[in-house]
Amino acid sequence: MNLQNPATESGIGRREFIAMMAMIQALQSLAFTSLLPALGHIAADFEVAQSNQRQLIISVFLVSSGLSSLVPGTISDRYGRKPVLLGYMALFVAVNAVSALVRDFHVLLALRAILGFASSGLTVLPLAIIRDRYEGAGMAKLQAVVAMLFMAVPTFAPSLGYAILEFAGWRAIFLVIGALALAVTGWFLLRMEETNPKQNRQAQRSGNLLGNVATVLGNRASIGYVIGMSLIFGGHFGFINSSQQLIGEHFGAGSAYPLIFGSMAATMALASLVNSAIVERFGTRRIGHAAIFCHLAASVGQLLLASAPGETLVQFVVLMSLNMCLLITVFVNFTAIALQPFGHIAGAAASVQAFFRLVLGAGLGGLIGYVYDGTPRPLAIALVLVGSLTLALVLYSERGKLFQRLNPSSR
């Protein structure tokens, strides 16, 4: 069931709304997936001594984005979604432009931290805007379509980054990202209306904002999904951090890495499409719970293959692609479930979700990438562990009862 705020029904149409939210969220993904083929070149240009240090370009960005995520949603609950998001988008454009000029690796890492701060608004506020207009299965269905478009970015971003790298060098990647972000900013400025009307906004008191965060953290029905989703993302980020070394070097794919990575990411778009088609029929909980069990089973399969001699690239790609499909299924449905109780403070709730997903997820992903030993085994072990912990957290939130449909009209 689609439940919209009457104040947001006019103006931008549904299709344009979906495309815009997808593009805004996709800018964050573009900011790191397009750099994956260039990590080795960047490390070589800056004479980085330790090979795994190249992963800091990704990890610092993601951790900073997560640490900053409590800010944009809570501010937008007070001042409105549109002006706050515009500020974050403007900063995102500016930092990408400056990053193209940097001459020191540590300065680049500092700029990546600032860019992570800017990208936190691009991650959080589209979720709050979507929640302003939809809830329950209606939100999950729309978010699945948004995610499908969003997943198109990692499908082509590594290939785009590789093409720019070959013709213009890695610095030009930052300029292209900045130019695309500028175009999306102009689109949002001209076409999107405010979705958080003044009568719904909270008084400007820090106690209110902190109280909202405490309310979200204290909600048992939500917090298990938030932390569980974060752990699943940690496993995914661990794969992203080590994907170039794993696919390109360990399995010997070489220059075919961007194409293989993009093909794997494309399966996530397909999973989003399937989810959007079935979520209103089966409900977010049933689909989300099934996805967790399947994720754990696929991860055990990956560990068995990684522990035996002779695992092939095809075997790895098939099982990792399956886990990527399950990741996006978990994300879409867990997001809807976790935001369901917080319509009046959707910004704060979206901020808490993004905070855990990126801080815990990116921190765990950085650790997984750092312990990469030249084989897929550390990643496989991590995926089994995060799948098991996520299942336990969901059981906590659901008080031990899975696959229930509490409200068929919306969940």
Side-chain angles (χ1 to χ4, degrees):
M1 179 175 66
N2 281 0
L3 297 178
Q4 290 187 301
N5 184 331
T8 68
E9 289 182 356
S10 60
I12 188 170
R14 178 183 171 90
R15 290 183 180 179
E16 186 180 357
F17 174 73
I18 291 172
M20 183 182 292
M21 295 300 102
M23 283 303 302
I24 293 172
Q25 288 185 326
L27 289 172
Q28 188 212 37
S29 177
L30 187 66
F32 65 90
T33 53
S34 62
L35 285 176
L36 293 175
L39 293 181
H41 293 78
I42 296 173
D45 281 359
F46 289 120
E47 299 181 347
V48 176
Q50 214 278 332
S51 176
N52 283 355
Q53 282 186 312
R54 74 182 80 172
Q55 298 178 11
L56 291 174
I57 296 170
I58 306 300
S59 298
V60 167
F61 169 81
L62 292 173
V63 171
S64 174
S65 182
L67 289 172
S68 308
S69 293
L70 291 177
V71 178
T74 50
I75 293 177
S76 73
D77 282 340
R78 170 63 183 92
Y79 294 103
R81 315 295 186 211
K82 187 171 183 177
V84 176
L85 182 51
L86 282 172
Y88 277 90
M89 295 175 79
L91 179 62
F92 186 88
V93 172
V95 175
N96 271 293
V98 175
S99 296
L101 307 175
V102 69
R103 298 292 174 182
D104 180 85
F105 184 69
H106 295 95
V107 174
L108 176 63
L109 292 181
L111 288 170
R112 294 295 288 175
I114 298 172
L115 189 67
F117 171 84
S119 76
S120 67
L122 281 60
T123 304
V124 170
L125 294 175
L127 285 176
I129 291 171
I130 292 171
R131 180 61 185 86
D132 287 340
R133 298 181 63 150
Y134 300 88
E135 65 174 318
M139 178 187 174
K141 182 175 182 177
L142 185 139
Q143 181 62 28
V145 178
V146 169
M148 179 181 65
L149 298 176
F150 169 80
M151 283 303 116
V153 172
T155 300
F156 72 80
S159 297
L160 174 64
Y162 184 79
I164 297 171
L165 177 68
E166 289 295 303
F167 287 99
W170 62 264
R171 296 178 186 277
I173 298 175
F174 291 109
L175 296 177
V176 171
I177 295 171
L180 290 172
L182 182 61
V184 175
T185 302
W187 180 21
F188 177 77
L189 173 65
L190 295 175
R191 295 290 298 156
M192 189 64 200
E193 72 275 8
E194 177 59 58
T195 61
N196 185 23
K198 290 184 178 180
Q199 63 269 23
N200 290 347
R201 297 179 192 174
Q202 302 218 331
Q204 188 181 0
R205 293 195 295 270
S206 60
N208 281 352
L209 300 180
L210 294 175
N212 289 342
V213 173
T215 298
V216 175
L217 292 176
N219 188 291
R220 177 170 178 169
S222 173
I223 194 63
Y225 286 96
V226 173
I227 299 177
M229 183 198 314
S230 304
L231 293 174
I232 295 293
F233 261 82
H236 182 63
F237 287 144
F239 166 63
I240 290 176
N241 282 338
S242 56
S243 62
Q244 189 273 329
Q245 293 163 281
L246 194 52
I247 296 174
E249 297 173 11
H250 172 72
F251 285 112
S255 60
Y257 159 73
L259 179 61
I260 294 172
F261 184 89
S263 298
M264 295 171 71
T267 63
M268 299 173 77
L270 177 61
S272 295
L273 180 63
V274 172
N275 191 84
S276 68
I278 66 175
V279 67
E280 288 186 313
R281 178 179 178 183
F282 295 103
T284 53
R285 279 177 166 78
R286 290 177 180 174
I287 296 175
H289 296 169
I292 283 298
F293 279 103
C294 292
H295 174 278
L296 184 55
S299 299
V300 170
Q302 285 187 258
L303 179 57
L304 292 174
L305 280 175
S307 301
E311 181 182 11
T312 67
L313 174 61
V314 172
Q315 290 172 328
F316 175 80
V317 167
V318 168
L319 276 178
M320 194 64 222
S321 297
L322 175 59
N323 256 334
M324 293 170 76
C325 290
L326 295 167
L327 163 80
I328 198 63
T329 305
V330 167
F331 169 71
V332 168
N333 292 285
F334 279 25
T335 296
I337 295 169
L339 283 178
Q340 183 64 31
F342 306 112
H344 60 299
I345 52 169
S351 281
V352 171
Q353 279 199 22
F355 175 83
F356 277 99
R357 187 172 69 247
L358 291 172
V359 172
L360 181 57
L364 178 59
L367 177 62
I368 295 169
Y370 189 75
V371 299
Y372 171 71
D373 63 356
T375 75
R377 198 164 186 270
L379 174 63
I381 292 172
L383 291 174
V384 172
L385 291 175
V386 300
S388 301
L389 288 172
T390 298
L391 179 58
L393 287 162
V394 170
L395 284 166
Y396 168 77
S397 277
E398 296 293 344
R399 301 180 185 273
K401 298 178 180 179
L402 300 181
F403 299 104
Q404 295 187 100
R405 191 168 187 176
L406 303 183
N407 181 358
S409 65
S410 63
R411 299 188 194 182

